[in-house]
Amino acid sequence: MIKQIKKSSLTIALVIVVALSAVLSASVWINPFHYERGSGDSTSTSARQDTVQSLSDIYKPTEVIRTYQDRSQKLLYDQAKNPVMVIEQQVRKWKLKHLTRVVNNDSAAYLRDLRTENSIMISYPDAVATTVFNQTFNQSVDTARLKRINHIVITLDKTPTVYLMADEKYQVYRLTTTSQSLAVIKKSLVGGSQLNVDHKIVNGIPLTTFPHQISMPTYRSTINHQNLDSIAQTLMASSSVSTVSSQTTSKLITYTAGNSRRMTYNKGTGQVQYDNYLGKDNSYGTQTLYTHLFDLLADTAVPLEQVQYDNVSLVGQTITYRSFVEGFPIFSDNDYGTVRIKANNDGVERYHLSPLSLGTPLPASGQKVTLPSTVTVLNALYQAGKGKDIKGLRLGYTWATDQNKSLVTLSPTYYVYYHGNWVKYQSLLKGD
């Protein structure tokens, strides 16, 4: 009985907090508060979302690292003001010029520049097209010379230098600017939480590593449920087809509109798949794919404030958008909080998404998880015979729903990119 009372109290408290956060939601985008934004249930049937989210909100860096004069590095999170948003606002006022390549196909030099002394680095979860950088930061970097960007490094000198870095082929480009005040940027780096980090190259992949054992907070959140009929209507309605029909079986709910649009909801996994048969192939180049798939994302019923860009497959013409908390990605066995969209390079646009999304994640008081150093994890994976196939490693959060399916606990752990999927390192060690 006491446990039930405590669980009920926790549920009521979280609902109250999320309700209060909704009242303040308008000011969240004006003032870059450090927690991810929540959203209420979405039942709108409009063809396009009425949202303030822009392309730069979705394709934004998530990792912030301060490098000191001795090249020691700290990963920053839980800042009073989001440094990524502050840097974006400041750099938009700058005129970056004289694009000069300073490193190419040199892993040692690239690693050195990942540790540029007295600098701040903001990094994307995966490479973005230079057109995205230009639009976000109001610049005009030559996309023919530099096609994609992983990291943006700004020296904190009196006259800052900007470096654009691409993990592919270990490329570093330098840009100069006139003397600019860095006071606002430096102020955003003060306070909050910090973790000791370093950069290593593992199997040819640059990684952010944690050289020591770390302790990370656990988060809790309520769940938002979108109406399936509304999702279907938003995805499938068009000027030529206005009627959406549905059919229900024991495992699936299937929606159709004409002969070209089909949406299925799997009751077991809670996943939605939408197929739009266009009847013609159309592949997109590096500089256009990101914009095209953002336009498709914006035409879904997914609350855009819930997701950010996570990774891209240029060959597969696919982009994955994911939920984050404090800049760390959130993973679910059923891909809750994840949207995957494929362009019609084979004549079909395909979407994978879920009607479930998170409210505002809040730290669970007194509940932290201790994780080993990255080196310890990598050594264990190599000893288990998995090391040579690792193509990425990151700190992330696991989505776990309670028995009543009303609350989510987000617990930190390492995720490894292994054979095309992000997998908990513990699962790899167990051979799952």
Short mmCIF file of all heavy atoms in Angstrom, two decimals, residues 221-280:
data_model
loop_
_atom_site.label_atom_id
_atom_site.label_comp_id
_atom_site.label_asym_id
_atom_site.label_seq_id
_atom_site.Cartn_x
_atom_site.Cartn_y
_atom_site.Cartn_z
N SER A 221 9.93 11.28 -16.78
CA SER A 221 9.04 12.08 -17.61
C SER A 221 7.69 11.40 -17.75
O SER A 221 7.58 10.17 -17.65
CB SER A 221 9.65 12.28 -19.01
OG SER A 221 8.74 12.94 -19.86
N THR A 222 6.66 12.21 -17.99
CA THR A 222 5.37 11.67 -18.39
C THR A 222 5.42 11.34 -19.88
O THR A 222 6.37 11.68 -20.58
CB THR A 222 4.24 12.67 -18.11
OG1 THR A 222 4.55 13.91 -18.76
CG2 THR A 222 4.07 12.90 -16.63
N ILE A 223 4.38 10.66 -20.37
CA ILE A 223 4.29 10.27 -21.78
C ILE A 223 3.11 10.99 -22.43
O ILE A 223 2.02 11.06 -21.85
CB ILE A 223 4.10 8.75 -21.93
CG1 ILE A 223 5.26 7.99 -21.27
CG2 ILE A 223 4.00 8.37 -23.40
CD1 ILE A 223 5.10 6.48 -21.34
N ASN A 224 3.35 11.51 -23.61
CA ASN A 224 2.28 12.08 -24.42
C ASN A 224 1.84 11.06 -25.47
O ASN A 224 2.68 10.41 -26.09
CB ASN A 224 2.75 13.35 -25.12
CG ASN A 224 3.17 14.42 -24.13
OD1 ASN A 224 2.57 14.57 -23.08
ND2 ASN A 224 4.23 15.15 -24.46
N HIS A 225 0.54 10.90 -25.64
CA HIS A 225 -0.02 9.96 -26.61
C HIS A 225 -0.72 10.75 -27.72
O HIS A 225 -1.66 11.50 -27.45
CB HIS A 225 -1.02 9.01 -25.95
CG HIS A 225 -0.43 8.14 -24.90
ND1 HIS A 225 -0.07 6.82 -25.12
CD2 HIS A 225 -0.11 8.40 -23.60
CE1 HIS A 225 0.43 6.31 -24.00
NE2 HIS A 225 0.42 7.25 -23.07
N GLN A 226 -0.26 10.58 -28.95
CA GLN A 226 -0.94 11.21 -30.06
C GLN A 226 -2.06 10.30 -30.58
O GLN A 226 -1.96 9.07 -30.54
CB GLN A 226 0.04 11.49 -31.20
CG GLN A 226 1.02 12.60 -30.89
CD GLN A 226 1.97 12.81 -32.05
OE1 GLN A 226 2.99 12.17 -32.14
NE2 GLN A 226 1.59 13.71 -32.95
N ASN A 227 -3.10 10.92 -31.10
CA ASN A 227 -4.23 10.19 -31.64
C ASN A 227 -3.87 9.60 -33.00
O ASN A 227 -3.41 10.31 -33.89
CB ASN A 227 -5.43 11.15 -31.76
CG ASN A 227 -6.67 10.45 -32.26
OD1 ASN A 227 -6.80 10.24 -33.45
ND2 ASN A 227 -7.57 10.14 -31.36
N LEU A 228 -4.07 8.27 -33.16
CA LEU A 228 -3.70 7.61 -34.41
C LEU A 228 -4.46 8.16 -35.60
O LEU A 228 -3.90 8.33 -36.69
CB LEU A 228 -3.93 6.10 -34.30
CG LEU A 228 -2.90 5.28 -33.53
CD1 LEU A 228 -3.37 3.83 -33.43
CD2 LEU A 228 -1.54 5.35 -34.23
N ASP A 229 -5.76 8.41 -35.42
CA ASP A 229 -6.56 8.95 -36.53
C ASP A 229 -6.01 10.30 -36.98
O ASP A 229 -5.99 10.60 -38.18
CB ASP A 229 -8.02 9.10 -36.11
CG ASP A 229 -8.70 7.76 -35.86
OD1 ASP A 229 -8.16 6.73 -36.34
OD2 ASP A 229 -9.76 7.72 -35.21
N SER A 230 -5.56 11.11 -36.03
CA SER A 230 -5.00 12.42 -36.37
C SER A 230 -3.69 12.27 -37.13
O SER A 230 -3.43 13.01 -38.09
CB SER A 230 -4.78 13.25 -35.11
OG SER A 230 -6.00 13.52 -34.46
N ILE A 231 -2.85 11.32 -36.70
CA ILE A 231 -1.59 11.07 -37.41
C ILE A 231 -1.88 10.66 -38.84
O ILE A 231 -1.27 11.17 -39.80
CB ILE A 231 -0.76 9.99 -36.69
CG1 ILE A 231 -0.32 10.46 -35.31
CG2 ILE A 231 0.47 9.62 -37.54
CD1 ILE A 231 0.39 9.39 -34.50
N ALA A 232 -2.83 9.73 -39.01
CA ALA A 232 -3.17 9.25 -40.35
C ALA A 232 -3.71 10.37 -41.22
O ALA A 232 -3.33 10.52 -42.39
CB ALA A 232 -4.19 8.11 -40.26
N GLN A 233 -4.59 11.19 -40.66
CA GLN A 233 -5.18 12.28 -41.43
C GLN A 233 -4.11 13.29 -41.85
O GLN A 233 -4.10 13.78 -42.98
CB GLN A 233 -6.26 12.98 -40.61
CG GLN A 233 -7.07 14.03 -41.36
CD GLN A 233 -7.94 13.41 -42.44
OE1 GLN A 233 -8.36 12.27 -42.33
NE2 GLN A 233 -8.18 14.16 -43.51
N THR A 234 -3.19 13.59 -40.93
CA THR A 234 -2.14 14.55 -41.23
C THR A 234 -1.19 14.03 -42.31
O THR A 234 -0.81 14.75 -43.23
CB THR A 234 -1.33 14.88 -39.97
OG1 THR A 234 -2.22 15.41 -38.98
CG2 THR A 234 -0.24 15.89 -40.25
N LEU A 235 -0.81 12.75 -42.21
CA LEU A 235 0.12 12.17 -43.16
C LEU A 235 -0.50 11.95 -44.54
O LEU A 235 0.16 12.15 -45.56
CB LEU A 235 0.65 10.83 -42.65
CG LEU A 235 1.70 10.86 -41.54
CD1 LEU A 235 1.96 9.45 -41.03
CD2 LEU A 235 3.00 11.48 -42.04
N MET A 236 -1.78 11.56 -44.56
CA MET A 236 -2.34 11.00 -45.79
C MET A 236 -3.27 11.92 -46.55
O MET A 236 -3.57 11.68 -47.72
CB MET A 236 -3.05 9.69 -45.44
CG MET A 236 -2.14 8.71 -44.73
SD MET A 236 -2.96 7.21 -44.18
CE MET A 236 -3.12 6.32 -45.71
N ALA A 237 -3.78 12.95 -45.91
CA ALA A 237 -4.69 13.84 -46.61
C ALA A 237 -3.94 14.61 -47.69
O ALA A 237 -2.80 15.01 -47.52
CB ALA A 237 -5.33 14.81 -45.63
N SER A 238 -4.58 14.79 -48.84
CA SER A 238 -3.98 15.55 -49.94
C SER A 238 -5.09 16.21 -50.74
O SER A 238 -6.28 15.96 -50.51
CB SER A 238 -3.15 14.64 -50.85
OG SER A 238 -3.98 13.75 -51.55
N SER A 239 -4.70 17.05 -51.69
CA SER A 239 -5.69 17.73 -52.51
C SER A 239 -6.47 16.76 -53.39
O SER A 239 -7.61 17.01 -53.76
CB SER A 239 -5.01 18.78 -53.38
OG SER A 239 -4.01 18.17 -54.19
N SER A 240 -5.85 15.62 -53.72
CA SER A 240 -6.50 14.65 -54.61
C SER A 240 -7.27 13.57 -53.85
O SER A 240 -8.18 12.96 -54.39
CB SER A 240 -5.46 13.99 -55.51
OG SER A 240 -4.47 13.32 -54.74
N VAL A 241 -6.87 13.33 -52.57
CA VAL A 241 -7.54 12.30 -51.77
C VAL A 241 -7.91 12.89 -50.43
O VAL A 241 -7.06 13.35 -49.68
CB VAL A 241 -6.62 11.07 -51.55
CG1 VAL A 241 -7.32 10.04 -50.68
CG2 VAL A 241 -6.21 10.46 -52.88
N SER A 242 -9.21 12.89 -50.13
CA SER A 242 -9.66 13.48 -48.86
C SER A 242 -10.18 12.45 -47.88
O SER A 242 -10.33 12.73 -46.70
CB SER A 242 -10.77 14.51 -49.13
OG SER A 242 -11.87 13.90 -49.80
N THR A 243 -10.43 11.23 -48.34
CA THR A 243 -11.00 10.19 -47.49
C THR A 243 -9.93 9.21 -47.05
O THR A 243 -9.20 8.66 -47.89
CB THR A 243 -12.10 9.42 -48.23
OG1 THR A 243 -13.11 10.35 -48.63
CG2 THR A 243 -12.72 8.36 -47.32
N VAL A 244 -9.81 8.99 -45.76
CA VAL A 244 -8.88 8.02 -45.19
C VAL A 244 -9.71 6.92 -44.53
O VAL A 244 -10.55 7.18 -43.68
CB VAL A 244 -7.95 8.66 -44.14
CG1 VAL A 244 -7.05 7.62 -43.52
CG2 VAL A 244 -7.12 9.77 -44.78
N SER A 245 -9.51 5.67 -44.94
CA SER A 245 -10.24 4.53 -44.38
C SER A 245 -9.32 3.71 -43.50
O SER A 245 -8.09 3.77 -43.64
CB SER A 245 -10.83 3.67 -45.50
OG SER A 245 -9.79 3.17 -46.33
N SER A 246 -9.90 2.92 -42.60
CA SER A 246 -9.09 2.11 -41.69
C SER A 246 -9.66 0.71 -41.55
O SER A 246 -10.87 0.49 -41.73
CB SER A 246 -9.00 2.77 -40.31
OG SER A 246 -10.25 2.83 -39.70
N GLN A 247 -8.77 -0.22 -41.22
CA GLN A 247 -9.14 -1.61 -41.00
C GLN A 247 -8.34 -2.13 -39.82
O GLN A 247 -7.12 -1.90 -39.75
CB GLN A 247 -8.89 -2.44 -42.25
CG GLN A 247 -9.28 -3.91 -42.10
CD GLN A 247 -9.01 -4.71 -43.38
OE1 GLN A 247 -8.49 -4.16 -44.36
NE2 GLN A 247 -9.36 -5.97 -43.39
N THR A 248 -9.00 -2.84 -38.90
CA THR A 248 -8.35 -3.31 -37.67
C THR A 248 -8.32 -4.83 -37.61
O THR A 248 -9.33 -5.49 -37.87
CB THR A 248 -9.07 -2.77 -36.44
OG1 THR A 248 -9.09 -1.34 -36.48
CG2 THR A 248 -8.36 -3.20 -35.15
N THR A 249 -7.14 -5.38 -37.29
CA THR A 249 -7.00 -6.80 -37.01
C THR A 249 -6.44 -6.95 -35.60
O THR A 249 -6.27 -5.97 -34.88
CB THR A 249 -6.05 -7.47 -38.03
OG1 THR A 249 -4.72 -6.94 -37.84
CG2 THR A 249 -6.51 -7.21 -39.44
N SER A 250 -6.13 -8.17 -35.22
CA SER A 250 -5.63 -8.41 -33.86
C SER A 250 -4.26 -7.78 -33.64
O SER A 250 -3.90 -7.43 -32.51
CB SER A 250 -5.54 -9.91 -33.58
OG SER A 250 -4.67 -10.54 -34.51
N LYS A 251 -3.48 -7.59 -34.71
CA LYS A 251 -2.12 -7.08 -34.57
C LYS A 251 -1.91 -5.69 -35.16
O LYS A 251 -1.01 -4.97 -34.73
CB LYS A 251 -1.13 -8.05 -35.21
CG LYS A 251 -1.06 -9.41 -34.53
CD LYS A 251 -0.03 -10.29 -35.20
CE LYS A 251 0.06 -11.66 -34.51
NZ LYS A 251 1.07 -12.54 -35.16
N LEU A 252 -2.72 -5.33 -36.16
CA LEU A 252 -2.47 -4.11 -36.90
C LEU A 252 -3.72 -3.25 -37.04
O LEU A 252 -4.85 -3.75 -37.05
CB LEU A 252 -1.96 -4.42 -38.31
CG LEU A 252 -0.66 -5.21 -38.46
CD1 LEU A 252 -0.43 -5.52 -39.94
CD2 LEU A 252 0.52 -4.45 -37.89
N ILE A 253 -3.49 -1.94 -37.14
CA ILE A 253 -4.50 -1.01 -37.63
C ILE A 253 -3.94 -0.43 -38.92
O ILE A 253 -2.84 0.14 -38.92
CB ILE A 253 -4.81 0.11 -36.63
CG1 ILE A 253 -5.30 -0.48 -35.30
CG2 ILE A 253 -5.88 1.05 -37.20
CD1 ILE A 253 -5.54 0.57 -34.23
N THR A 254 -4.66 -0.61 -40.01
CA THR A 254 -4.18 -0.17 -41.32
C THR A 254 -5.05 0.95 -41.86
O THR A 254 -6.28 0.82 -41.92
CB THR A 254 -4.18 -1.35 -42.32
OG1 THR A 254 -3.38 -2.41 -41.79
CG2 THR A 254 -3.61 -0.91 -43.66
N TYR A 255 -4.40 2.04 -42.26
CA TYR A 255 -5.09 3.18 -42.86
C TYR A 255 -4.67 3.27 -44.33
O TYR A 255 -3.50 3.07 -44.66
CB TYR A 255 -4.71 4.49 -42.16
CG TYR A 255 -5.13 4.57 -40.71
CD1 TYR A 255 -4.33 4.02 -39.71
CD2 TYR A 255 -6.28 5.25 -40.34
CE1 TYR A 255 -4.69 4.11 -38.37
CE2 TYR A 255 -6.66 5.36 -39.00
CZ TYR A 255 -5.85 4.79 -38.03
OH TYR A 255 -6.22 4.88 -36.70
N THR A 256 -5.63 3.58 -45.21
CA THR A 256 -5.32 3.76 -46.62
C THR A 256 -6.01 5.02 -47.14
O THR A 256 -7.08 5.40 -46.67
CB THR A 256 -5.76 2.56 -47.46
OG1 THR A 256 -7.15 2.31 -47.25
CG2 THR A 256 -4.96 1.31 -47.11
N ALA A 257 -5.36 5.62 -48.12
CA ALA A 257 -5.94 6.78 -48.82
C ALA A 257 -5.62 6.60 -50.30
O ALA A 257 -4.46 6.73 -50.70
CB ALA A 257 -5.37 8.09 -48.30
N GLY A 258 -6.64 6.26 -51.09
CA GLY A 258 -6.41 5.98 -52.49
C GLY A 258 -5.55 4.74 -52.65
O GLY A 258 -5.53 3.85 -51.80
N ASN A 259 -4.80 4.69 -53.74
CA ASN A 259 -3.96 3.53 -54.02
C ASN A 259 -2.49 3.75 -53.69
O ASN A 259 -1.68 2.85 -53.84
CB ASN A 259 -4.08 3.15 -55.50
CG ASN A 259 -5.48 2.72 -55.88
OD1 ASN A 259 -6.14 2.01 -55.12
ND2 ASN A 259 -5.94 3.15 -57.05
N SER A 260 -2.15 4.95 -53.22
CA SER A 260 -0.73 5.28 -53.08
C SER A 260 -0.28 5.51 -51.64
O SER A 260 0.93 5.53 -51.38
CB SER A 260 -0.40 6.52 -53.91
OG SER A 260 -1.14 7.64 -53.44
N ARG A 261 -1.21 5.68 -50.71
CA ARG A 261 -0.81 6.01 -49.34
C ARG A 261 -1.33 4.96 -48.37
O ARG A 261 -2.52 4.63 -48.38
CB ARG A 261 -1.33 7.40 -48.95
CG ARG A 261 -0.82 8.49 -49.88
CD ARG A 261 -1.34 9.85 -49.49
NE ARG A 261 -0.88 10.86 -50.44
CZ ARG A 261 -0.45 12.07 -50.11
NH1 ARG A 261 -0.43 12.44 -48.85
NH2 ARG A 261 -0.06 12.92 -51.03
N ARG A 262 -0.43 4.50 -47.52
CA ARG A 262 -0.78 3.42 -46.59
C ARG A 262 -0.04 3.65 -45.27
O ARG A 262 1.17 3.90 -45.26
CB ARG A 262 -0.39 2.07 -47.20
CG ARG A 262 -0.59 0.86 -46.29
CD ARG A 262 0.02 -0.35 -46.97
NE ARG A 262 -0.05 -1.55 -46.14
CZ ARG A 262 -1.04 -2.44 -46.20
NH1 ARG A 262 -2.02 -2.27 -47.07
NH2 ARG A 262 -1.04 -3.50 -45.41
N MET A 263 -0.75 3.56 -44.16
CA MET A 263 -0.15 3.68 -42.83
C MET A 263 -0.59 2.50 -41.98
O MET A 263 -1.77 2.17 -41.93
CB MET A 263 -0.58 4.99 -42.16
CG MET A 263 0.11 5.25 -40.82
SD MET A 263 -0.54 6.72 -39.98
CE MET A 263 -1.46 5.93 -38.64
N THR A 264 0.37 1.86 -41.31
CA THR A 264 0.05 0.74 -40.43
C THR A 264 0.56 1.03 -39.02
O THR A 264 1.65 1.57 -38.85
CB THR A 264 0.67 -0.57 -40.92
OG1 THR A 264 2.09 -0.42 -41.02
CG2 THR A 264 0.10 -0.96 -42.28
N TYR A 265 -0.26 0.67 -38.04
CA TYR A 265 0.14 0.78 -36.64
C TYR A 265 0.24 -0.62 -36.06
O TYR A 265 -0.74 -1.39 -36.09
CB TYR A 265 -0.88 1.59 -35.84
CG TYR A 265 -0.63 1.57 -34.35
CD1 TYR A 265 0.46 2.22 -33.79
CD2 TYR A 265 -1.49 0.87 -33.49
CE1 TYR A 265 0.71 2.20 -32.44
CE2 TYR A 265 -1.25 0.84 -32.12
CZ TYR A 265 -0.15 1.51 -31.60
OH TYR A 265 0.09 1.47 -30.24
N ASN A 266 1.42 -0.99 -35.59
CA ASN A 266 1.66 -2.30 -35.00
C ASN A 266 1.34 -2.23 -33.51
O ASN A 266 2.03 -1.53 -32.75
CB ASN A 266 3.11 -2.72 -35.23
CG ASN A 266 3.39 -4.14 -34.79
OD1 ASN A 266 3.06 -4.54 -33.69
ND2 ASN A 266 4.02 -4.90 -35.69
N LYS A 267 0.31 -2.93 -33.07
CA LYS A 267 -0.12 -2.87 -31.67
C LYS A 267 0.93 -3.44 -30.73
O LYS A 267 1.04 -3.02 -29.57
CB LYS A 267 -1.43 -3.63 -31.49
CG LYS A 267 -2.60 -3.05 -32.28
CD LYS A 267 -3.85 -3.91 -32.07
CE LYS A 267 -5.02 -3.39 -32.92
NZ LYS A 267 -6.22 -4.24 -32.76
N GLY A 268 1.73 -4.38 -31.22
CA GLY A 268 2.74 -5.00 -30.37
C GLY A 268 3.92 -4.11 -30.09
O GLY A 268 4.39 -4.00 -28.96
N THR A 269 4.42 -3.43 -31.14
CA THR A 269 5.61 -2.60 -30.99
C THR A 269 5.28 -1.14 -30.73
O THR A 269 6.15 -0.37 -30.30
CB THR A 269 6.49 -2.68 -32.25
OG1 THR A 269 5.76 -2.13 -33.36
CG2 THR A 269 6.87 -4.13 -32.56
N GLY A 270 4.04 -0.74 -31.02
CA GLY A 270 3.67 0.67 -30.86
C GLY A 270 4.25 1.55 -31.95
O GLY A 270 4.32 2.77 -31.81
N GLN A 271 4.65 0.95 -33.08
CA GLN A 271 5.29 1.69 -34.17
C GLN A 271 4.33 1.96 -35.32
O GLN A 271 3.46 1.13 -35.63
CB GLN A 271 6.49 0.92 -34.70
CG GLN A 271 7.78 1.18 -33.95
CD GLN A 271 8.27 2.60 -34.14
OE1 GLN A 271 8.53 3.05 -35.25
NE2 GLN A 271 8.41 3.31 -33.04
N VAL A 272 4.51 3.11 -35.94
CA VAL A 272 3.76 3.50 -37.12
C VAL A 272 4.69 3.45 -38.33
O VAL A 272 5.81 3.95 -38.26
CB VAL A 272 3.18 4.92 -36.98
CG1 VAL A 272 2.62 5.42 -38.31
CG2 VAL A 272 2.10 4.95 -35.90
N GLN A 273 4.23 2.82 -39.41
CA GLN A 273 4.96 2.89 -40.68
C GLN A 273 4.02 3.49 -41.72
O GLN A 273 2.88 3.06 -41.88
CB GLN A 273 5.44 1.52 -41.16
CG GLN A 273 6.15 1.61 -42.52
CD GLN A 273 6.85 0.33 -42.92
OE1 GLN A 273 7.42 -0.36 -42.08
NE2 GLN A 273 6.83 0.02 -44.20
N TYR A 274 4.54 4.48 -42.44
CA TYR A 274 3.78 5.14 -43.49
C TYR A 274 4.53 5.02 -44.80
O TYR A 274 5.73 5.31 -44.86
CB TYR A 274 3.56 6.61 -43.14
CG TYR A 274 3.03 7.46 -44.27
CD1 TYR A 274 1.77 7.22 -44.83
CD2 TYR A 274 3.80 8.52 -44.78
CE1 TYR A 274 1.30 8.00 -45.87
CE2 TYR A 274 3.32 9.31 -45.81
CZ TYR A 274 2.08 9.04 -46.36
OH TYR A 274 1.61 9.82 -47.38
N ASP A 275 3.85 4.56 -45.85
CA ASP A 275 4.43 4.43 -47.18
C ASP A 275 3.66 5.29 -48.16
O ASP A 275 2.42 5.21 -48.23
CB ASP A 275 4.40 2.97 -47.66
CG ASP A 275 5.21 2.05 -46.77
OD1 ASP A 275 6.30 2.46 -46.34
OD2 ASP A 275 4.75 0.93 -46.49
N ASN A 276 4.38 6.10 -48.89
CA ASN A 276 3.78 6.95 -49.92
C ASN A 276 4.38 6.56 -51.26
O ASN A 276 5.55 6.86 -51.55
CB ASN A 276 4.06 8.43 -49.62
CG ASN A 276 3.39 9.36 -50.61
OD1 ASN A 276 2.50 8.95 -51.35
ND2 ASN A 276 3.82 10.60 -50.63
N TYR A 277 3.61 5.84 -52.08
CA TYR A 277 4.09 5.33 -53.36
C TYR A 277 3.97 6.43 -54.41
O TYR A 277 2.88 6.79 -54.84
CB TYR A 277 3.28 4.09 -53.77
CG TYR A 277 3.45 2.94 -52.82
CD1 TYR A 277 2.65 2.82 -51.70
CD2 TYR A 277 4.44 1.97 -53.04
CE1 TYR A 277 2.81 1.76 -50.81
CE2 TYR A 277 4.60 0.91 -52.16
CZ TYR A 277 3.78 0.82 -51.05
OH TYR A 277 3.95 -0.24 -50.17
N LEU A 278 5.11 6.97 -54.83
CA LEU A 278 5.13 8.09 -55.75
C LEU A 278 5.27 7.66 -57.20
O LEU A 278 5.03 8.45 -58.11
CB LEU A 278 6.27 9.04 -55.39
CG LEU A 278 6.17 9.68 -53.99
CD1 LEU A 278 7.41 10.51 -53.70
CD2 LEU A 278 4.93 10.54 -53.88
N GLY A 279 5.68 6.43 -57.43
CA GLY A 279 5.75 5.91 -58.79
C GLY A 279 6.96 6.35 -59.58
O GLY A 279 7.08 6.04 -60.77
N LYS A 280 7.88 7.09 -58.95
CA LYS A 280 9.09 7.50 -59.64
C LYS A 280 10.22 7.65 -58.63
O LYS A 280 9.99 7.98 -57.47
CB LYS A 280 8.88 8.81 -60.40
CG LYS A 280 8.52 9.99 -59.51
CD LYS A 280 8.38 11.27 -60.32
CE LYS A 280 8.03 12.45 -59.40
NZ LYS A 280 7.90 13.72 -60.17
#
